[in-house]
Amino acid sequence: MEKKKVVVGIDIGGTNTVFGFVDREGHILTEDKIKTNYYDEVEVYIAALYEKIMVAQTKIGFDVEIIGFGIGAPMGNINKGTIEYPADLPWKGIIPLADIFKRHTSLPVIVTNDANAAAVGEMIYGGARGMKNFVVITLGTGLGSGFVIDGKLVYGHDGFAGEIGHTAIRPGESNRDCGCGRKGCLETYVSATGIKRSLLKIMADSIQPSNLRKYSFEELDAEMIHDAAKEGDAIAIRAFEHTGRMLGFKLADVVAHTNPEAIFLFGGLALAKDLIFEPTKRYMEQNLLNIYRGKVKLLESELSTQNAAVLGASSLVWSIKEQK
Amino acid sequence: MEKKKVVVGIDIGGTNTVFGFVDREGHILTEDKIKTNYYDEVEVYIAALYEKIMVAQTKIGFDVEIIGFGIGAPMGNINKGTIEYPADLPWKGIIPLADIFKRHTSLPVIVTNDANAAAVGEMIYGGARGMKNFVVITLGTGLGSGFVIDGKLVYGHDGFAGEIGHTAIRPGESNRDCGCGRKGCLETYVSATGIKRSLLKIMADSIQPSNLRKYSFEELDAEMIHDAAKEGDAIAIRAFEHTGRMLGFKLADVVAHTNPEAIFLFGGLALAKDLIFEPTKRYMEQNLLNIYRGKVKLLESELSTQNAAVLGASSLVWSIKEQK
C-alpha cells in the first residue's frame, strides 16, 4: 500500500512551537508542541523539536511518509532559510534555521515568516480562497503581516516584505520601547502585550474603577482584558478602543500602498470580535482617501487560531513541490 | 513603405498636460503640451488636447501611425479608465476619461496613475531596468508613487494601489489641510507645495534671516527654495531637512511593507540632490528595522523629469499590445 504523504508544518511562536502532520487536503493528522522559550540554545531547541516530531510519527504509525518541513517563524527569510534578529525569540542575531534543521534530515526544509505562512494558509484553506489581493495581520505576542498581491505572497528583494508590526506610529517622540530596539512600533500598541501596555497607561491616567486594577502587569493577559471589556469594564473597553485606533491608522497605509480586497485579522486579539473590529474599522475608514472608503473588507480569519500557521507553513512545501 | 508605429504618451499634471509620440524603442519623435488648469470642463479639455495631438501629427508627417493612447493622470484607474476624485486637477468626482477620449478615436486608450506610468517608464527605459522590486516616488505639485513587485506594477483590487502621498504622518492632531479634504497627508509636507508650506512655518517660528522672507507664498516655488539652500540660506536648508524627515519616515513604512531593492525619487524636488536625498536617507534608515538597514538603495530617477511620465504612459500601451 502506498504511504500517505504529509508535510510537517511548524509554527515557531514566542512562547510555543506548534507542529502538525498535514496531508494534501489540509487535514492535520496529528499535532503537538514544545515550549520555544525554554531553550536558550537554538541547536538544542531544534534537536528537541525534531525528536518530538519523530515521536509523533511513531504514534500515528509508519504508513505516513513525511515529504518535507515547512517552518513559519518571526523574521523568517525564505531566500536564506534564516531567522534574522527576531524580537520575540530567545535567540539573537542571524540564525541559520534551515541549515541547523537539515543536520537531522535530507528532506526539503522551508523557512518563512510566520505571518506569511498564515497568509498562504488563509489563501489555500480559509476566507481568502479565490482572492488575488489581500493582507493577513497576525495578532499574537507580537504583530505580523503577510501581503498577497496578484495571487502571490510578497517576499520583496531580501525576503522580508510584510513587517507592518515594525512601522512606527509617528515621526519621533514616541516613548514606547519595542523589543526590536526602537521606539513606537505598531506592535508595541497592537498585540497581546501592546493592549496590556495600553491598559496600564489608561489605568495610570484615569480614576475610573476597574476590576483589572488588582492584577499586576505580569498577571494580566489579553484574554482577561477581553473578558473584562465584555462585562463592561470601562478601562478595558478603552484599551481595545486605543488598540483599534492604532491598528486602523496603520491599516490605512496598507490600503494606500497595496489596495487589497480584504484585510484578515488573525490570532488572540481577533477573537475579541467587535471589541477590536469596530474601532479598527472606524479609524481605518477615517484615515482612508475617499477612493478607498467602504471598499476594503475587514474580516476575521476563517482558520482556527491554533491551526492556521501550521497549515500555512505546510502549504508552502506543497506549493513548491508542485511548481517543480 | 510601412509607417512607423507610435504610441501617444500623455501625462496629465496639475498645471500642464504633456504629450509625446513615442516609438517602440522609447524615442520621443515630437512633444508638446497644453495647460491643464485652463479648462474648467473636462470635455473641452480633451477636445483641445486631441486637436493639439492631431496638429502635432501633421507637423511630423503622415508616415507615422498612431496605434494607441496611454494616459497617466492623478488617481487614474486602469480598470475603469477613470480619474476618481483627483485632488490637484480642476475637475471633481469620477471622470470617465477614457470614454470621453474615445469620442475622438477608435484606437485603444489606457488610463493609469501618473506615478504608476513613471514607474513603468523607469523599469523599461531607466534605472530600474532588470529590477524586480522597486518603488518610484514622483515629487511634483503633489506626491505620487508606483510600486513594482516581482516585475509587475501593483494595481491592487480596485486599481488604486500606490497612493503613499495620501497616507497620514501621525494619528490625529495634524493641522495641515490636504487638497483631498483630509489632514496631515504626506504630500502636504513632501511636494513642491509641501516644502513651501514647511518653509513658511519655519519662517514663522524662527528669527533667522533669509532672502526668501521678501517673497509671498504665491511668489515662492520649490526651485527658489532649492537655489536659496544651495547658497546656504538656513531657513531653506531647514525646509529641505523637514521634507526629508517626513519622506524618510514614510518610506520606512514602504520598506517594511514591500521590501524593495530600490526607491527612486523623481521630479522637481529630486533635482535638489543631496539637499533632499541626504535627510531622506538618514531618516529612512533611522526608522528601519535592522533587517532592512543599509540594504535599500535611494536613487535618483534616470529619466529626465520632462519625459519619464510620457514614456511611462506610452509603455503601458506597448506592453498591453504585446501581451495580446
Side-chain angles (χ1 to χ4, degrees):
Chain A
M1 197 187 79
E2 208 187 335
K3 289 184 179 181
K4 189 177 191 73
K5 288 186 166 60
V6 295
V7 171
V8 181
I10 302 166
D11 171 42
I12 305 184
T15 311
N16 288 311
T17 296
V18 184
F19 67 86
F21 286 44
V22 187
D23 71 12
R24 182 61 189 84
E25 285 68 46
H27 302 121
I28 296 182
L29 306 186
T30 185
E31 199 174 65
D32 206 345
K33 63 183 170 182
I34 69 169
K35 286 271 172 208
T36 312
N37 56 13
Y38 181 83
Y39 300 90
D40 293 334
E41 287 189 43
V42 65
E43 289 82 2
V44 181
Y45 159 78
I46 291 290
L49 173 62
Y50 192 80
E51 171 82 16
K52 194 105 180 195
I53 292 170
M54 291 303 107
V55 170
Q57 186 174 24
T58 61
K59 280 186 192 156
I60 58 169
F62 283 95
D63 50 342
V64 153
E65 181 195 351
I66 297 173
I67 64 154
F69 299 84
I71 307 177
M75 305 296 172
N77 184 320
I78 196 166
N79 297 333
K80 296 190 257 172
T82 53
I83 316 184
E84 308 201 2
Y85 310 102
D88 305 310
L89 297 183
W91 324 297
K92 301 299 163 209
I94 299 177
I95 302 143
L97 199 73
D99 288 347
I100 298 171
F101 204 98
K102 281 176 180 167
R103 291 178 200 162
H104 301 275
T105 178
S106 57
L107 292 168
V109 178
I110 296 167
V111 174
T112 193
N113 186 306
D114 51 353
N116 282 342
V120 176
E122 198 70 47
M123 180 163 56
I124 294 186
Y125 311 113
R129 274 170 297 182
M131 286 189 188
K132 289 280 188 191
N133 297 281
F134 67 94
V135 170
V136 172
I137 307 287
T138 63
L139 302 165
T141 315
L143 184 157
S145 56
F147 288 58
V148 171
I149 289 180
D150 221 5
K152 286 204 295 207
L153 198 56
V154 178
Y155 288 112
H157 184 61
D158 298 303
F160 287 121
E163 277 300 339
I164 169 179
H166 294 282
T167 59
I169 279 294
R170 58 171 66 84
E173 91 249 8
S174 180
N175 44 20
R176 243 183 232 197
D177 296 337
C178 184
C180 77
R182 298 180 311 136
K183 279 169 178 281
C185 291
L186 183 61
E187 84 166 25
T188 68
Y189 296 87
V190 184
S191 62
T193 320
I195 196 168
K196 270 170 62 171
R197 297 172 82 167
S198 296
L199 182 89
L200 251 71
K201 174 80 169 58
I202 295 162
M203 229 178 229
D205 288 342
S206 96
I207 55 167
Q208 286 174 297
S210 166
N211 277 332
L212 299 176
R213 286 190 187 271
K214 64 168 76 80
Y215 300 105
S216 72
F217 184 79
E218 287 182 359
E219 285 167 339
L220 283 165
D221 63 31
E223 212 177 323
M224 291 161 74
I225 303 172
H226 177 190
D227 289 341
K230 275 197 294 189
E231 285 159 24
D233 186 291
I235 288 186
I237 291 169
R238 284 175 63 191
F240 273 102
E241 167 82 12
H242 191 63
T243 306
R245 182 177 180 227
M246 293 310 194
L247 180 56
F249 173 64
K250 296 304 275 186
L251 288 185
D253 287 6
V254 171
V255 172
H257 289 179
T258 64
N259 191 188
E261 176 175 359
I263 298 172
F264 292 86
L265 301 188
F266 167 83
L269 275 185
L271 301 179
K273 310 237 176 208
D274 258 9
L275 280 167
I276 186 73
F277 277 82
E278 189 281 319
T280 302
K281 178 88 177 167
R282 177 160 35 91
Y283 285 108
M284 181 180 87
E285 290 289 337
Q286 215 173 82
N287 281 287
L288 286 179
L289 196 59
N290 47 8
I291 50 171
Y292 307 116
R293 258 179 230 154
K295 289 182 184 164
V296 182
K297 293 170 236 170
L298 187 67
L299 301 171
E300 228 178 304
S301 167
E302 288 187 17
L303 301 179
S304 84
T305 306
Q306 221 173 346
N307 290 339
V310 166
L311 289 173
S314 70
S315 67
L316 284 166
V317 177
W318 291 116
S319 81
I320 285 171
K321 278 265 169 198
E322 283 159 21
Q323 276 166 29
K324 276 178 185 168
Chain B
M1 197 187 80
E2 210 187 333
K3 289 183 179 181
K4 190 178 189 73
K5 288 187 166 61
V6 295
V7 171
V8 181
I10 301 166
D11 171 42
I12 304 183
T15 311
N16 290 311
T17 296
V18 184
F19 66 86
F21 286 45
V22 188
D23 72 12
R24 182 63 191 81
E25 284 68 46
H27 301 121
I28 297 182
L29 306 186
T30 186
E31 199 173 66
D32 206 345
K33 62 183 171 182
I34 69 169
K35 286 273 172 207
T36 312
N37 56 14
Y38 181 83
Y39 299 91
D40 292 335
E41 288 190 43
V42 66
E43 288 83 2
V44 180
Y45 159 78
I46 292 290
L49 173 62
Y50 191 79
E51 171 83 16
K52 193 105 180 192
I53 292 169
M54 291 304 107
V55 170
Q57 186 174 24
T58 62
K59 280 187 192 156
I60 58 168
F62 283 97
D63 50 339
V64 153
E65 181 195 349
I66 297 173
I67 63 154
F69 299 84
I71 306 177
M75 307 295 173
N77 184 318
I78 197 166
N79 296 334
K80 296 190 258 171
T82 53
I83 317 183
E84 308 201 0
Y85 309 101
D88 304 310
L89 297 183
W91 324 297
K92 301 299 163 207
I94 298 177
I95 302 145
L97 200 73
D99 287 346
I100 298 172
F101 203 98
K102 281 178 180 166
R103 293 178 199 162
H104 301 275
T105 178
S106 58
L107 293 168
V109 178
I110 297 166
V111 174
T112 192
N113 188 306
D114 51 353
N116 282 343
V120 176
E122 198 71 45
M123 180 164 56
I124 294 185
Y125 311 113
R129 273 170 297 183
M131 287 188 186
K132 289 280 190 191
N133 297 281
F134 67 95
V135 170
V136 172
I137 308 286
T138 64
L139 302 165
T141 314
L143 184 157
S145 56
F147 288 58
V148 171
I149 289 179
D150 222 4
K152 285 203 296 207
L153 197 56
V154 178
Y155 288 112
H157 184 61
D158 298 302
F160 288 121
E163 278 299 339
I164 168 180
H166 295 281
T167 59
I169 279 295
R170 57 172 68 83
E173 91 249 9
S174 180
N175 44 20
R176 241 182 234 197
D177 297 336
C178 185
C180 76
R182 299 180 309 136
K183 279 167 178 282
C185 292
L186 183 62
E187 83 166 25
T188 69
Y189 296 88
V190 184
S191 62
T193 321
I195 196 169
K196 271 169 62 170
R197 298 171 82 167
S198 296
L199 182 89
L200 251 71
K201 174 81 167 60
I202 295 163
M203 231 178 229
D205 288 341
S206 96
I207 55 166
Q208 285 175 298
S210 166
N211 276 331
L212 299 175
R213 287 191 186 269
K214 66 167 75 78
Y215 299 106
S216 72
F217 184 78
E218 286 181 0
E219 285 167 341
L220 282 165
D221 63 31
E223 213 177 323
M224 290 161 75
I225 303 172
H226 177 190
D227 289 341
K230 276 197 294 189
E231 285 158 25
D233 186 290
I235 288 187
I237 291 169
R238 284 175 63 191
F240 273 102
E241 167 81 12
H242 192 62
T243 306
R245 181 176 181 226
M246 293 310 193
L247 179 56
F249 172 64
K250 295 304 276 187
L251 288 186
D253 287 5
V254 172
V255 172
H257 289 179
T258 63
N259 191 189
E261 176 175 359
I263 297 173
F264 292 87
L265 301 188
F266 168 81
L269 274 185
L271 301 178
K273 311 236 174 207
D274 259 9
L275 279 167
I276 186 72
F277 278 82
E278 189 281 320
T280 303
K281 178 89 176 165
R282 177 159 36 90
Y283 285 107
M284 182 179 87
E285 290 289 337
Q286 215 174 82
N287 281 288
L288 286 179
L289 196 59
N290 48 8
I291 49 170
Y292 306 116
R293 257 180 231 154
K295 288 183 184 163
V296 182
K297 294 170 235 168
L298 188 67
L299 301 172
E300 228 178 304
S301 167
E302 288 186 16
L303 301 179
S304 84
T305 306
Q306 221 174 345
N307 290 339
V310 166
L311 289 173
S314 71
S315 67
L316 285 166
V317 177
W318 291 116
S319 81
I320 285 172
K321 277 266 169 197
E322 284 159 19
Q323 277 166 28
K324 277 179 183 166

